[in-house]
Each structure stands twice: as C-alpha cells, then as structure tokens.
Amino acid sequence: MTTVQDFSGYTPTWCPGCGDWGIGVAIKGAFVKLGLDPSSLCVVFDIGCSGNMNDFLNAYAMHALHGRSLATALGVKIANPQLPVVIVGGDGGIYGEGGNHFLHACRGNHDVTVIVHDNSVYGLTTGQVAPTADKGMKSKSTPFGIIETPVNPLVLAVTQGATFVAQTFAGDVNHMIEMIKRGIEHKGFSLINILQPCVTFNKINTYQYYLPRVYKLGLEYKPEDQREAIGKAMESTVEKFPLGVLYKVERPSFTDQLPQLSGKTLVEKTYDLAFEAFEEEFI
Amino acid sequence: MKFLWKIGGEAGFGIMTTGLSFAKIATQSGYHIFDYAEYPSLIRGGHNTYDVLVSDEEVWTSQIAIDMLVCLNKDTYTLHKSRLKESSIVVYDPEMFEITDNVQKISVPLKSMIKEAKAFQIMVNTITLGASAGLLGADEEVLYGMIETQFAKKGEKVVEYNRDFAKKGYDYILEHYQAMVTPILKKRSQIETKLVMTGNEAFSYGAIVAQCRFFSGYPMTPTSNVLTQLAGWQEKSGMVVRHSEDEIAVINTALGASFAGARSAVATSGGGFALMVEAISYAGVAEIPIVIFLGQRPGPATGMPTWTEQGDLLFACHAGHGEFPKIVLAPGDVNEMIEMTAEAFDLADIYQTPVIVISDKFVCESHKSVPKMNVDLFSKSYQPNRGKLIHEVPPEKYLRYKISDDGISPRLIPGIKGSFYQANSYDHIEDSHTTEDGELRKLQVEKRGRKWDTYLKTHYKLPTIYGDITTATHVFIAYGPNKGSIKEAQKLLKEKGIETAFIHFTHVYPLDRQKVRDIFAMTKDKKCILVENNSQGQFGKLLAMEAGIEIEEKILKYDGRPIYPEEIVASIK
Ligand SMILES: Cc1ncc(C[n+]2csc(CCOP(=O)(O)OP(=O)(O)O)c2C)c(N)n1
Ligand code: SF4
C-alpha cells in the first residue's frame, strides 16, 4: 500500500489559502485510494500555478507546454494504454490556449482524466481573465470588464463526446477525492472541473462566494441523461454550481477501437515485418 | 537513351493515374524512370501535366525537352509548344485543334472514339495510354497487365472495360502509324524488379523499416500522402496513425507517444511546421526523440501549395526558441530518403532530440525507380539503434538528466517500477525537478550542447563529391533535393567538354566547420556555384554561418518550378 507521503515531492509554493493546496491533497488521496504508486501512472501537467504541481507530486510525468498538456497526454495513452493518464491544468491552459484540443479529446473519448483548476483567472501570469471569467469581470488585461461571455466547459464536454463529466469544489477535499477517483476509474474521457478560489487575483469567486452557491447532486440524480446533464451544467448562468457526476455514459474509448493495440502496447511490441508486403504496390 | 513523355489535360480527368501507369509500364519493360507532375491547387478545372523521363540508365530528374507530348486538350499544346523539337511526337485530336508547327503529328480521333463507345470523357486517358504504349513499342501484355493491377480492386468488369479502351489506342496506332513506332519501351531481355516510389512513399517505407510505431499528421501538400500512406498500412504495420485536429496537436501527441517509449514521427509542410515550432523546443529541453518530415513548397503563408521551392531550410535549422541541439538531414533521392529516414529515427533516439528530414515538393511527389534489390538489402539488414533507452531502473539513483561527457543521459521507459521522473519543459536539475539556479541551469545547457559535439564526432556525414574536384573547372554546391538536376547537368557538361564536380550535402545541420573547410580548400582555384530553388541562397547562408564559406556565384530559381539540368548547363560560361 502506498501512502500520501509516497506521492509528496517538493513543498508547494502556492499562495497561502489557494484552492490548489486542497486539490494537491485530493489528487494524492485519490491515487492512494486507487492503489497506485508513483511508478504506475503518468501525469501530464499544463503550465500555470496548477501545472506547477509537477514538482510537488511524485509520478512519471510530463510538464508539457502551456495549453498542450491534453494533446501530449493522448500520445502517452495511445503508446501505452495500460498506464493511467491524468492531466492537471488551469482553465486558461485547458479551455483557452488548448481549447481546440479539449474539444477534440472529448470527441475521441480518449481514456484520460483531465483535472482543471477553474479559477477564472490566469494565476501564474498574475491575474488576467481566463475564458471562464463571467462577462464584465475586470482584470489587468480587461480593465473595463471582459466583453466575452464565459465558456461553459461542462456543457462543452457533455455535448462533444466526453463520457464522464464531474464538478467539484476546492473547499471539499473528500468530495474532490471521490470525483477524481471515479474519473480515473471511468473508461473513457473524464473531466473533473474544480471550482478553485485564487485568493490572490480573483476577489469575486472566493470561498465565501462559492459556499452558498454550491450544492451536491442527490442520489435521485441520474447522470446518464444528457439533457438533464446539460441543464445542470447551465446552472452556472444563474450562479448555482452542482457538485458531483453530472454525466456518465459508457462508450468504447479511442484506444479500445484500435485493433493494433489489442495485446501488447506500442512500447512493448516487437515487429518482424515482411517488407515485401509493403513493396508490392510500387512494382 | 533518354526520352521524356508528357501528358496534359484538364484537372480531374485521371492524368495522375495514367502518368503513373505509363511510368510502371516503362519499369516493367526494363527501364528506369523519373516522373514529375504539375497541378494547380484545385480539384477540377485547372491544367494538369505529368511527365515521365524514361532511360536505360538510372535517372534522378526531369528535363525541359519533350520527346512525346500527349494532348488531351489544346492548352497542353500551347503551353508546351516551346519545349518541342522537330523530332518530338505529338499525340492529339484534330477535332480539338490543329497543329501547324513542324513536329511529328500523330492524330487520334479521341472525341469520336469516345462518342462511338458512348463512354465517359475520362476514358481518353486510357486510349492515349494504349496509343503511347503502341507508339513506343511496348509489349501489349505489359500494358494490359498494368491495367489489370491498376483496376483489380474495382473488379473484373472495370478491368475489362479499361483494357478495351487501351486496346483501342494501341490498335489505332498499329493500324495507322506502324511506320512511326520507335522501340523506346521495347521489353528488354533482362529485367530487374524495380520499385516506383515518391519521396513521400520512401519516407513512409523508411518509417516502417525503422519500426516507427506512432505517426500523427494533418494533411498539407506536399506531404499529405505520408499520412494517407501510413494510415492505409496500419493493419499490416501495427503502427498507430492519427489524423489530429491541428499541427500543434500532431507534434505534441507524437511527443507524448515518444516519451512513453514508442518511436514517433510527424510530417508537414511550412505552415504546419510553423505551428509545430514551440513543441520542437519542448523536445529539445525535455530531450524527447522525434522525427519531423518537412516537405517544402513555395511560401510565404499559403504560397503556391502544389509547386516546389526550398524556402524553409534556414527556418528548419533554427526552428524552436532557445538553444538546443537539432539535426537536419536532406536526402537527395528516393534511395537516400529510405535510408536517411531510418537514420533519422536512430539519431533521434541516440541524441534524444528533434531530427528533421527536409525535402521539397519535387522529391516528395516525384516517382523514381529504384532496384528492389537495393531497397531489400537495406531494409533486411537494418537494426534500430535506440541509444541510451533503458528498460530497468539502474542500481544507483536514476537521474533522467544526468550530466554526462557525451551530453546524453539514460532514458528510462515510463511506467517501469521503482522510479519516476518528468519530461520537464522548464529547465531542470539532473533528477528532472525544475530549477532557476544559475549554475545548475548552466550545467544542463552545457550538457545538452555537448550533444552537438558528440554528433559531429560520431554520426555527422561529410558531403558526397560527384566528379573530381582536382580536374574540374566548375564546382557545384547544393544540398538535398537538388542532387538529381545537378548530376544530370554534370553529364551534359562533360559531353560539351566541361569538367565539373559537385559537393552534395545531406547532413546539412549542424555542419562540421573544420572538415567542411578542408573540402572547400580544394576548390580554391575553381569556379564555385551554389544551386538552390529559392531567391536567397539559404544553404549558401548556412555554409557562411556554420563554416565561414562564401559562394559568390549562384543559380537560384524561385518560380515554383524545379531547376532543370538544361538551365544549369545554360548558365555555365
Ligand atoms: C505559449 C505560452 N503563452 C503564454 C505563456 C504564459 N503563461 C504561463 S501560465 C499562463 C496562464 C495560466 O493560467 P491557467 O492556465 O488558468 O493556470 P493557473 O495559473 O490559473 O493555474 C500563461 C498565459 C506560456 N507559458 N506559454
Ligand atoms: S496566484 Fe492564485 S492560483 Fe496561483 S497560487 Fe496564488 S492563489 Fe493560487
């Protein structure tokens, strides 16, 4: 059995009170609960305060380019489908810079788990708006308020082919552990959107803001219904934030549909190809 | 013997298939070929041409002079009139246009033949293929055999239908122009099996030989065919081929697969390559092997998509922010493409860094015949060299970015029990954790930098010299895809009594300064001429920068067309 300690690397450098602390604890907690150890999975980090977890978490990892963590992670999964692959990034990286990759990773139902620190700002570059920011939010890059309406990652995921879509809150470690664990266990593309207060740069979406506005989905909620899920995901427009699994369906994952990957992984495979078979068409 | 056959007509009427069939009829009859197609960036309506140079010796390029022109419309004639001689044969239909010039006219009533058979317009291709085979003395069996393999997948009916039309063309010639038949394609007594391959196909085949296991791509002329070729081979090869959402995803996904331990590659052209550049830099600092195939076409921006140019060499050599080692290889022909592709995978693994294989539309999309035996000899003897890839955790503490004399550190396959590390895009210390410490940063910069030196000492290859510099009056200097036209020009110049040599670079970046200077020391009293398909002489600039060598005289062409041997000859005084 591993312990949280086995996954603990350098001491985090996040601001005191930042939601990332709780997320860091929850990720390690979920890994322990799943019986993983640092050699048995691959975490791909984006660039940001969130991605800085690369040095705080022990695991085979890539600290990829800003916005490209998801695209990078898909390659790891395809080459070695036996390795659980988890992506950790911010809403700027995953929904902004890497928005196109997010859309297409959902479509492919790639069997990876994306954990997004949704704080409505770019933390690491000191507080400019992220694409999740509410219309009108003022920041250094939008001194008169952001003109665009926010991206709705949950609706996007539910409608673009993700098969597991959950939301959780950085103020509730146990709930986060549960969501991350179930996301990794799910076979297919899983999104865990975590409402994460950035105490330094976002004075609006604070713990106090979220506490009265979040609520847990009850046992009566049926996550297989796509229309229900979209309805729940749309509640952010009226400042209500459902926590739990909004959507979960079964569909073959990307790598499940590649006959080349039945049996050995691309990494293990040895080939003894008959070159004649490739030459015929050129004669 | 050299004979240039050329067919032209409206785009969308099967010119490409007919051209390739003609090329294969030639190789199956025992000849060598090099072909070249021109087509606009649209699907229907523009003008397409396809030429095939047939020879009894190996050929590496096309030529200006046309020996036989097959006109499927009037444009073909007017556009190519200036390239015809009195002895050139012109196949045409007088119902479409008349010819008043002094050439060898072969009139074939294409339109009425089609009308009579109530066939689609596209069948004129097959008629002219038959007519061409007839006029050039090809064996009827070779012609029909070719049609059979070409249409086999579509069923016996389609095969028979096409055979009938080919026969119409063949018979028409024997009936009306028996006296003009020349034995250009006469079946030779001994025929060695040849492969008719484009540069793209050679890269794809090389990737198979090198046991590449993951390939991602996004279509872009002139390398789209690499994606489709490898995708089509997946069942046979076991490779996973992914058509990604954009070129940024293409390369980052390939880097993920490579990190996981699978040999990985991508292919693109200038615009797509530009999107990949940030990730090339990531591969540099995180030390992830990756092979990038870059087929150049005229830029800037969308440029002239279906034409040829060499405007991206300096961009490729300098692609990626920051300083990190990178290797650029430039094969000159199909043979070199197969072997250097496999070499690129080895170098990427050995040096754990990006390796770019650079080419251009002319080589990417032109077919060249290569003896099958030569290809087999290579593919059967090739063994991948994966460098310092390890499958077990070493007994001492494993350090992913361990400082070493050769600059290379052992690379552990992720997922192996008992260790972990990260492929870090931030600069890092030996165990891969991030650092901003100045001294530790310097150590890693220097470690990565030592890979240049190790490469130059261990795997760098000097240019090949064709001809004898000591007896030559003129020395050509070029890299990669210009090989064919220069070699041909050398032959033509020799016939005129001019002795030349040709220094051909394939390992273009980095260059070994001293060794390259030593070669150029031999050219002191010679007329050195740089030959490039661009307006700035980019390889010349690279030589100046890397080896301090300046070449004053240049033959540069940048109209989107390849450099022809005759053009090189004409500019030698
Ligand atoms: C290509 C590129 N553009 C910009 C940056 C600078 N940059 C670093 S982190 C970041 C945004 C971080 O915001 P987010 O992804 O939301 O993560 P957070 O810091 O909030 O966790 C930016 C723009 C970069 N590293 N790379
Ligand atoms: S800037 Fe914001 S997101 Fe970054 S560590 Fe500080 S509080 Fe957390």
Side-chain angles (χ1 to χ4, degrees), chain B residues 492-507:
Chain B
L492 298 175
L493 285 164
K494 202 180 171 82
E495 284 164 18
K496 292 172 74 177
I498 300 173
E499 281 294 328
T500 64
F502 167 29
I503 308 177
H504 179 241
F505 287 82
T506 51
H507 290 55

Side-chain angles (χ1 to χ4, degrees), chain A residues 13-21 48-50 52 117 119 121-127 196-202:
Chain A
T13 49
W14 292 308
C15 306
C18 172
D20 290 355
W21 288 91
C49 293
S50 42
N52 276 352
H117 299 222
N119 58 12
V121 292
Y122 287 7
L124 195 61
T125 46
T126 68
Q196 175 244 323
C198 164
V199 294
T200 306
F201 295 113
N202 186 341

